[in-house]
Amino acid sequence: MISPANLAAKLKTGVFLEDSSALEDYRVVQTTLQGISENWREQPSLEVLAHSVGLQPIQLQRVFSRWAGITPKQFLQAITIDHARALLQESASILEASFEVGLSGPARLHDLFVTHEAMTPGDYKNRGAGVKISWGFHPCPFGLVLLMVTDRGLAGLAFADPGEEAKALADMSVRWPAAEFDENQVATAPYTVRIFEPQTWHEDQPLRVVFIGTDFEIRVWQTLLKIPMGKATTYSAIANNLGNPKASRAVGTAVGKNPLSFVVPCHRVLGAKGNMCGYHWGITRKRAILGWEAGVSGVLDGLTATG
């Protein structure tokens, strides 16, 4: 068994070069997103954004559109406060209606078609003792992704920028310090395709995930699964959905501990007024995911495709 303290030492130099083009695309997009996020009120032009990443405008347009399915101009519209507020419309009714769907079996919980189960309270109380977790890093649309899987399904998903791998690995492994960890990219690689390539999202082939947490945390994470792509909700709406309107702060803590980022869409939780509140893996990445989802789901259909 590998102790969490020794996990970082197992990271191998160059292990993430299987698809360096994906990481380069995200580097370009990440810098562009930062420029848009910091200066959206000035509506920066494509030329200004392209200059910031050392590309010609047409080159940036192609890279960004290939990555997100929308143009930089459309993404700028996607992160304005007006769009964020629009995401929140009907948030309460979305959660209420989800009760009609149910949370068992391969029912459509959200766009990834996720089916889930929880580890027993004993597994959690024992801090993962007896649980074998295979892990691996892979390029994805949002930088490097750390995937952690058990024989029952995906148990952990975290993000990292190059050079931050050890930090992300330690952050995740400390959650289940008594588990047995094994570096195994062969086991984790198929999940990268399954999670980040929309053409693989099929209702008859649900993504299996396993929750390891307290009863309250698991209830919060289950509620997050009810938020459809292209929509958002608030901490208070989740608390109300759980029948405890005063639990907004506790909900926020549980959301922050979500071990399955992106799959369990904690990025779809916004502030009460539509502001981009904290995200464990960075606000820029949160904006990137919301913009990418807008392109995938067609939320921004009808917006101009130029600029």
Side-chain angles (χ1 to χ4, degrees):
M1 179 175 129
I2 304 169
S3 70
N6 294 328
L7 283 176
K10 279 190 58 61
L11 291 170
K12 297 181 175 66
T13 302
V15 74
F16 312 117
L17 298 181
E18 58 192 75
D19 186 4
S20 59
S21 62
L23 293 180
E24 176 59 20
D25 277 2
Y26 182 66
R27 183 197 67 78
V28 170
V29 170
Q30 183 182 43
T31 303
T32 303
L33 295 181
Q34 289 174 334
I36 292 174
S37 300
E38 294 168 2
N39 304 289
W40 66 269
R41 289 181 178 82
E42 286 73 38
Q43 301 287 295
S45 67
L46 181 63
E47 288 73 20
V48 169
L49 295 171
H51 179 74
S52 71
V53 293
L55 296 177
Q56 293 298 316
I58 187 63
Q59 293 175 306
L60 175 59
Q61 183 94 324
R62 288 172 179 168
V63 170
F64 201 99
S65 298
R66 180 174 69 243
W67 176 84
I70 54 178
T71 67
K73 182 175 181 179
Q74 287 175 312
F75 186 86
L76 191 155
Q77 292 173 281
I79 68 165
T80 64
I81 192 66
D82 288 341
H83 179 257
R85 286 172 177 161
L87 288 177
L88 290 175
Q89 291 179 359
E90 304 175 348
S91 64
S93 60
I94 287 171
L95 294 178
E96 292 168 0
S98 65
F99 279 120
E100 300 176 6
V101 177
L103 291 173
S104 60
R108 179 174 181 171
L109 300 180
H110 70 104
D111 307 83
L112 288 177
F113 301 107
V114 174
T115 182
H116 69 275
E117 62 178 300
M119 286 290 187
T120 67
D123 288 328
Y124 176 73
K125 183 177 180 180
N126 293 331
R127 310 191 78 183
V131 178
K132 182 177 179 179
I133 299 177
S134 298
W135 61 272
F137 281 94
H138 305 272
C140 81
F142 311 107
L144 290 170
V145 62
L146 168 63
L147 298 174
M148 293 182 151
V149 303
T150 73
D151 58 358
R152 295 161 66 179
L154 182 71
L157 188 157
F159 295 108
D161 292 320
E164 297 180 349
E165 298 92 342
K167 180 180 178 181
L169 184 58
D171 180 279
M172 293 298 290
S173 59
V174 76
R175 302 169 189 236
W176 316 294
E180 178 184 351
F181 292 91
D182 174 51
E183 182 183 11
N184 188 343
Q185 287 189 300
V186 173
T188 55
Y191 285 85
T192 309
V193 175
R194 177 65 184 81
I195 293 167
F196 296 106
E197 295 188 11
Q199 64 269 26
T200 68
W201 300 352
H202 301 298
E203 189 170 8
D204 60 348
Q205 298 176 350
L207 175 67
R208 295 180 59 204
V209 303
V210 57
F211 292 138
I212 308 176
T214 67
D215 177 67
F216 180 79
E217 288 170 346
I218 290 172
R219 289 170 60 206
V220 171
W221 301 337
Q222 288 173 336
T223 303
L224 294 177
L225 281 172
K226 302 175 188 178
I227 310 170
M229 183 177 286
K231 297 292 184 179
T233 192
T234 63
Y235 299 111
S236 58
I238 293 174
N240 286 331
N241 180 261
L242 295 175
N244 192 349
K246 296 182 179 181
S248 294
R249 181 169 296 183
V251 165
T253 299
V255 170
K257 291 183 178 180
N258 171 27
L260 289 160
S261 295
F262 186 76
V263 170
V264 176
C266 52
H267 56 275
R268 297 177 193 162
V269 182
L270 304 177
K273 295 183 179 179
N275 56 302
M276 293 282 177
C277 43
Y279 184 60
H280 193 74
W281 308 109
I283 291 295
T284 296
R285 186 169 275 111
K286 179 171 183 170
R287 289 191 173 103
I289 295 173
L290 289 172
W292 184 86
E293 288 187 342
V296 169
S297 63
V299 168
L300 298 182
D301 282 351
L303 294 182
T304 175
T306 62

